[in-house]
Amino acid sequence: MIEITDAAVLTRVRDFLATAALPDDGRLPPERELAQSLEVGRGALRKALATLQSEGVVWRHVGKGTFTGERPIDTVADINAMVQRTNPLEVMSARIAFEPEVARCAALYATAGQVAEMRSCMLKAQQAPTWRQYEQWDNKLHRTIGEASQNSLLLGLLDTLNAVRRAVTWGRLRDTPLRPPGDHHSFEEHTRIVAAIADRDGAGAADAMRRHLRSVESHMRDRL
Amino acid sequence: MIEITDAAVLTRVRDFLATAALPDDGRLPPERELAQSLEVGRGALRKALATLQSEGVVWRHVGKGTFTGERPIDTVADINAMVQRTNPLEVMSARIAFEPEVARCAALYATAGQVAEMRSCMLKAQQAPTWRQYEQWDNKLHRTIGEASQNSLLLGLLDTLNAVRRAVTWGRLRDTPLRPPGDHHSFEEHTRIVAAIADRDGAGAADAMRRHLRSVESHMRDRL
DNA sequence: ATCAGAACCAATTTTGAATTGGTTTTGGTT
DNA sequence: AACCAAAACCAATTCAAAATTGGTTCTGAT
């Protein structure tokens, strides 16, 4: 092995980066392999990579590999982490911030089939013989509204929000009465939401959803 | 093995469910084990479990096990699934729906320290010598706004949204010019957002954020 | 003293075996 | 022939150990 300068090693690595066909995630070959193919020692390569990392050209992570570009901000909280950090009132606040905007989009983009499905869910929620079944149809209604936004990312975020919500409220079943009363506040509120969506009234849908969720929040506070 | 009726098996399983100390996730013992301890055949047990599943008392999943309660709606899309399903324009639409509401909350809840940090990020973005560094400070600004909502769930959803965005737009580096021009539209827009937040003007902050993101979307469309 | 290469360590990924529910086959009984 | 329990097999998931990857220390040559 002929000794070459640090600068020459750095140049070889830069040249490699400029010409190599890397996979989509920008992952470089493992250090040991790259050192071999560039005909430099691993120590020298590591020195060069450290320089490039400090310049934001590559980032490295033990066990994962070396990648082009800046290190991604690793702030993605998975569901469990979100569940550990939040609480029912915070979930309600997040819903009040987020779901009216989903309903607004749904009013603009829902298909007739989706509106029909919302109506069906709404009716089934009203006729539900148990709280459990009411909540199933309630969940289905809200998710159909998310689907009606025709934005898979909004739907994904809504699903994430609902997963956290269920985990935070898990096990809190209502035992009395057995089913929702005939004048359960959500029934009329659901009707207003779906009507505004069917009318293509974005602002109306957002407002109706916000009122509904504020009502749910208020009832939740009454139970604390 | 004494043969017992299906009804008797069902009763044994119900009794078991009523008395057993199950783990937090409500997981029952494996079928083969439960059949043995209840002294029934696996086939008969499976019949009873199928009945209980149809009643919503338990749910079962190949490879996972049998659990008490209703099957969770397994709609949680992880980041990769979201990335595969979405596209840059959809990401922009989702941002336009969601981030103004985050800014609205930030206007209500931001601490003075967080407002100062927003200003610092804004200045550093303006002074950034490369697009890469501009984007780092831009990201930091938007995340500080999310933190200022004082809602960990909203922040978690924003992080999720941004992770998807980065994955969808990965590798799309601007090479010319080397850095943002002095009159880059986002500079003034950032200023308006932060000013509205500092003024505790929720509607103003939401509106400024919405205008900013619409402007970003418009420039994105120009580049398509 | 310095440095390259080897060896070791910690974080992560990969892989194959084990586990779990779902279904089919087998053989005994009626 | 019909029925059913048990065994065998299949598909989905989990788990543990091996392999891989970057990070650090040790060793031996110069």
Side-chain angles (χ1 to χ4, degrees), chain B residues 42-68:
Chain B
R42 187 178 164 213
L45 174 65
R46 290 187 51 75
K47 249 178 156 176
L49 289 175
T51 298
L52 292 174
Q53 176 161 294
S54 72
E55 294 175 10
V57 176
V58 301
W59 62 281
R60 303 182 287 168
H61 192 112
V62 177
K64 287 191 175 195
T66 301
F67 302 81
T68 55

Side-chain angles (χ1 to χ4, degrees), chain A residues 24 70 73 75-76 85-86 90 93-94 97-98 101 132 136 143 151-153 157 159 161 163 166 170, chain B residues 24 70 73 75-76 85-86 90 93-94 97-98 101 132 136 143 151-153 157 159 161 163 166 170:
Chain A
D24 283 354
E70 285 281 355
I73 300 179
T75 52
V76 180
R85 273 191 336 223
T86 196
E90 202 175 77
S93 293
F98 182 59
E101 298 309 308
R132 172 176 288 129
Q136 281 184 27
R143 193 168 192 274
N151 184 314
S152 66
L153 184 48
L157 294 175
D159 286 340
L161 173 56
R166 283 194 294 268
W170 186 82
Chain B
D24 283 354
E70 285 280 355
I73 300 180
T75 52
V76 180
R85 273 191 336 223
T86 196
E90 201 174 79
S93 293
F98 181 58
E101 298 310 308
R132 172 175 289 129
Q136 281 185 26
R143 191 168 195 273
N151 185 314
S152 66
L153 185 48
L157 294 174
D159 285 341
L161 172 57
R166 282 193 294 268
W170 185 83

Side-chain angles (χ1 to χ4, degrees), chain A residues 144-161:
Chain A
T144 303
I145 292 169
E147 286 169 347
S149 72
Q150 316 299 351
N151 184 314
S152 66
L153 184 48
L154 276 180
L155 180 60
L157 294 175
L158 182 64
D159 286 340
T160 304
L161 173 56

Side-chain angles (χ1 to χ4, degrees), chain A residues 85-107:
Chain A
R85 273 191 336 223
T86 196
N87 61 62
L89 286 177
E90 202 175 77
V91 172
M92 276 313 313
S93 293
R95 289 186 74 194
I96 289 166
F98 182 59
E99 286 193 48
E101 298 309 308
V102 177
R104 189 192 301 273
C105 291

Side-chain angles (χ1 to χ4, degrees), chain A residues 194-205:
Chain A
V194 175
I197 289 170
D199 284 347
R200 310 300 170 168
D201 176 8

Side-chain angles (χ1 to χ4, degrees), chain A residues 106-118 147-150 197 200:
Chain A
L108 300 185
Y109 297 112
T111 65
Q114 284 168 329
V115 172
E117 190 166 341
M118 292 176 209
E147 286 169 347
S149 72
Q150 316 299 351
I197 289 170
R200 310 300 170 168

